Amino acid sequence: MTAPRRTWTFSSMRSKSRPSPDDGEHYFRRRLFSSFRSDRGEQRSEEQEDDIDKRRAFSDGQIKINKGVFLPGEEQPDMGTMKRFSTLFSSFRGKINKDRTGKEPDLPASTELSSIEEKAKEQRYASGQFFFEYLVVVRPKKTKDGIYEPQIIYQFPKKDGMVRFQKEEEEKTLKALTLFCFPEGVNWAPLTEYSSETFSFVLTDVDGTRKNGYCRRLLPDGKGARLPEAYCIISNLACFGLFSKIISLTRPTDSWLEHVDFRTLFKCLSDEEVLQVFAATVLERRIIFIADELGTLSQVIHAVAVLLYPFIWQHTLISIVPEILIDVVMAPTPYLLGVQKSLADQATDQTELLVVDLSEGRKETFIKCMGDEDTILPHKLKDEIKQALSAKNENSSLEELNRVVPEAFLPFFIKTVGHYSKYIVRNGKDQRGEFKRINFCKAIESKSTRRFVKTFVQTQMFDLFIQEMEQRPASQDGTGLFDKKIAEYQKRMKEKAKKI
């Protein structure tokens, strides 16, 4: 039976709901939505404190594993709102336990491990119960003597809290590891061609214990002569077949498309419907997707989020909403939510949102809408996207879609906001830039495009994107993938103008 609804009060709205006979039963839900009692300005201010830790998972072909990196999906939530969600899960667990036992669960006095537990943890680590011990990237580097010496340029994890002898042992292991990754020694020189290879080695300690190294050597992406890199996994497990598959590294068409499958999105929705969803997403509206299959929900939401590249959805994103969290649909902040069809009635009684039915045999795709989704995008640019999408068909492979879809949607942002870098003014090379928003909007000649951009620049995704561009060093200007695509487009336009 569906639990009765209560009235939730926010800073600027009240959502009407049915009264509940038990005030205590849904206390944890009231706590959840008390976190939304802030207006958009307050939310933006709070989230700006965390924007430095937000790093885009778009690395122009290089591997970057930073604290704060998120792939498209649940790991790209609204940092402010979802932080508040995470603090409440203990309350949810307590509520569940209370329902089952009739009393509040006893919480431990301390979450710190005892000395015995710490010792047991170390023993488990030493006995090889972890899947791997290290992942390192090794590259030959030129020394002062003019020779090339293999050095670790990336290591995961970096262990903290080790005593002196542990640090010494780790240094010995890592030093030996570099030598095995490049056993040729110092006889290296930059290369333009190199056949990648996979191999393994064994490190034997004085006490007879062994560590297995699984290595993949290849030439990193780039132009001109360069040195190869070795990606190496150190593990106590002797499973070459398994690890050789893991380190068979392949580079996707674009790194930001990794783990995204556009096939489900375009199977469930027509090109026109995808464009309407895209338009609502660009303006950071509340959007709910309905489907029977969990895979459909997650794949579609991930794909929709990626269409925003180079921008990142900054608000709540839950690809599959558990029933216990269904009241998240009442949040006044923007969100992308996936809801199973069995819970649809509890999720669609809100106003001012877009509800998209993805299920087969549906009567209509848009159960609820604002009504202006078809007019948000400038018509000329919208037609260009539709024309570019016509290059795909029902039998298009994943690789084909990963080429066609970005080529259809990325030019939209290039043509609307691709001139942003000209309006970031710096007083010096190392100084923080300042974005001239008014001049940026005025520079757009098309009235329909200017009207759209004036609305888009007010979104949080654009705001945080510009903040990151303002803060990055001037030496990095023009180095990102989006910047390179802008440069390619401008070059084509200049060449086209010359022919005319």
Side-chain angles (χ1 to χ4, degrees):
M1 180 180 293
T2 304
R5 298 283 185 85
R6 293 189 58 81
T7 298
W8 307 102
T9 304
F10 305 102
S11 60
S12 60
M13 63 168 284
R14 178 178 296 271
S15 178
K16 295 183 179 179
S17 54
R18 297 177 289 276
S20 169
D22 182 5
D23 273 351
E25 182 179 357
H26 296 297
Y27 168 72
F28 73 105
R29 292 189 180 181
R30 293 203 301 275
R31 282 193 60 195
L32 170 64
F33 289 100
S34 66
S35 65
F36 291 114
R37 292 174 184 164
S38 61
D39 58 22
R40 181 181 176 85
E42 290 172 340
Q43 177 195 15
R44 179 173 297 183
S45 174
E46 176 183 317
E47 291 169 351
Q48 285 173 354
E49 295 177 2
D50 294 327
D51 72 304
I52 294 176
D53 288 334
K54 294 181 181 178
R55 296 293 183 266
R56 300 178 184 278
F58 314 135
S59 59
D60 298 342
Q62 297 182 4
I63 291 182
K64 294 184 179 180
I65 306 179
N66 300 324
K67 181 179 180 182
V69 168
F70 302 103
L71 292 175
E74 290 95 320
E75 294 78 12
Q76 298 177 14
D78 166 8
M79 295 301 291
T81 304
M82 292 309 292
K83 262 188 177 178
R84 295 191 286 271
F85 278 174
S86 64
T87 63
L88 297 178
F89 276 110
S90 59
S91 299
F92 297 157
R93 289 195 295 269
K95 172 65 173 63
I96 294 170
N97 289 337
K98 183 179 179 182
D99 290 343
R100 291 176 179 172
T101 64
K103 63 179 182 179
E104 292 289 346
D106 295 325
L107 297 177
S110 173
T111 57
E112 296 182 1
L113 296 175
S114 66
S115 58
I116 297 176
E117 289 171 325
E118 284 287 358
K119 186 175 181 180
K121 181 180 176 182
E122 286 295 326
Q123 290 174 344
R124 288 197 302 273
Y125 187 88
S127 66
Q129 292 187 21
F130 285 87
F131 184 63
F132 71 93
E133 188 172 348
Y134 293 105
L135 166 64
V136 298
V137 181
V138 181
R139 179 193 298 165
K141 283 194 172 183
K142 199 170 188 178
T143 65
K144 295 180 180 179
D145 300 328
I147 60 176
Y148 287 93
E149 179 180 316
Q151 297 180 16
I152 293 175
I153 61 173
Y154 174 80
Q155 173 189 336
F156 176 83
K158 288 189 176 180
K159 300 175 186 176
D160 298 323
M162 292 190 297
V163 295
R164 182 176 177 181
F165 83 90
Q166 290 175 319
K167 290 182 179 179
E168 291 175 350
E169 288 300 317
E170 181 186 61
E171 289 174 1
K172 291 178 182 178
T173 299
L174 295 177
K175 180 63 178 177
L177 186 155
T178 61
L179 298 177
F180 280 93
C181 287
F182 287 91
E184 299 90 342
V186 298
N187 298 320
W188 277 101
L191 306 170
T192 55
E193 293 183 2
Y194 179 79
S195 298
S196 60
E197 55 185 331
T198 303
F199 57 94
S200 65
F201 55 85
V202 178
L203 300 176
T204 305
D205 208 341
V206 291
D207 62 358
T209 59
R210 295 180 175 180
K211 298 182 187 295
N212 302 281
Y214 305 96
C215 215
R216 174 77 167 176
R217 257 185 8 189
L218 47 80
L219 202 61
D221 189 38
K223 295 181 179 179
R226 54 202 183 279
L227 293 169
E229 292 178 346
Y231 295 80
C232 186
I233 297 174
I234 298 296
S235 173
N236 291 309
L237 301 176
C239 303
F240 179 77
L242 172 62
F243 283 99
S244 64
K245 294 178 181 178
I246 294 175
I247 55 181
S248 295
L249 302 176
T250 57
R251 191 180 305 280
T253 308
D254 284 300
S255 59
W256 55 283
L257 296 176
E258 197 167 6
H259 304 302
V260 174
D261 190 338
F262 289 115
R263 289 174 296 186
T264 304
L265 174 64
F266 287 95
K267 179 182 177 182
C268 294
L269 302 177
S270 67
D271 293 355
E272 178 64 33
E273 290 168 343
V274 169
L275 282 168
Q276 292 187 45
V277 171
F278 172 70
T281 311
V282 165
L283 294 191
E284 295 183 336
R285 292 182 173 178
R286 301 190 303 161
I287 306 174
I288 297 176
F289 295 90
I290 305 291
D292 293 306
E293 299 81 9
L294 301 179
T296 298
L297 290 174
S298 60
Q299 290 171 20
V300 167
I301 288 184
H302 293 176
V304 168
V306 167
L307 295 180
L308 297 172
Y309 180 80
F311 304 96
I312 297 177
W313 180 261
Q314 301 293 342
H315 301 278
T316 303
L317 189 155
I318 309 177
S319 61
I320 301 170
V321 178
E323 183 176 8
I324 196 172
L325 292 179
I326 195 61
D327 281 349
V328 72
V329 302
M330 299 172 66
T333 53
Y335 53 59
L336 292 177
L337 304 178
V339 175
Q340 287 181 276
K341 197 155 191 177
S342 59
L343 302 175
D345 291 342
Q346 301 181 55
T348 59
D349 60 351
Q350 303 298 306
T351 59
E352 297 185 349
L353 51 78
L354 177 65
V355 180
V356 187
D357 191 350
L358 304 173
S359 57
E360 295 183 7
R362 59 183 180 266
K363 294 181 180 179
E364 55 183 346
T365 300
F366 299 118
I367 299 175
K368 278 195 171 185
C369 61
M370 300 288 286
D372 64 344
E373 288 83 1
D374 189 44
T375 62
I376 293 173
L377 306 179
H379 285 293
K380 182 180 178 181
L381 298 182
K382 181 180 176 181
D383 290 340
E384 290 179 0
I385 296 176
K386 291 172 69 174
Q387 180 63 34
L389 289 175
S390 64
K392 63 175 180 57
N393 56 59
E394 294 181 357
N395 299 320
S396 293
S397 65
L398 177 60
E399 291 73 19
E400 289 172 334
L401 285 175
N402 279 1
R403 175 184 58 81
V404 172
V405 176
E407 288 178 357
F409 284 90
L410 189 56
F412 173 82
F413 290 114
I414 292 175
K415 295 174 183 178
T416 52
V417 298
H419 58 299
Y420 77 91
S421 60
K422 298 178 182 178
Y423 296 91
I424 296 180
V425 180
R426 303 178 190 273
N427 294 326
K429 258 193 173 183
D430 300 325
Q431 297 297 314
R432 186 182 188 278
E434 181 182 356
F435 181 60
K436 302 297 183 180
R437 187 184 302 263
I438 296 177
N439 294 338
F440 166 79
C441 293
K442 286 183 177 179
I444 302 171
E445 295 180 1
S446 169
K447 291 183 179 180
S448 60
T449 302
R450 191 188 313 130
R451 190 184 311 115
F452 164 79
V453 171
K454 283 183 177 180
T455 304
F456 180 60
V457 296
Q458 299 176 43
T459 63
Q460 194 162 329
M461 71 177 82
F462 182 83
D463 190 39
L464 292 179
F465 172 83
I466 287 298
Q467 284 186 43
E468 186 174 325
M469 297 303 105
E470 289 174 330
Q471 292 170 4
R472 75 178 181 184
S475 59
Q476 293 184 13
D477 287 346
T479 59
L481 177 59
F482 186 48
D483 296 320
K484 292 177 180 178
K485 295 292 184 180
I486 292 172
E488 291 174 4
Y489 170 75
Q490 292 175 342
K491 183 179 179 181
R492 289 196 302 269
M493 291 300 100
K494 288 181 180 178
E495 291 175 352
K496 187 177 180 179
K498 287 180 181 178
K499 292 179 180 180
I500 297 175

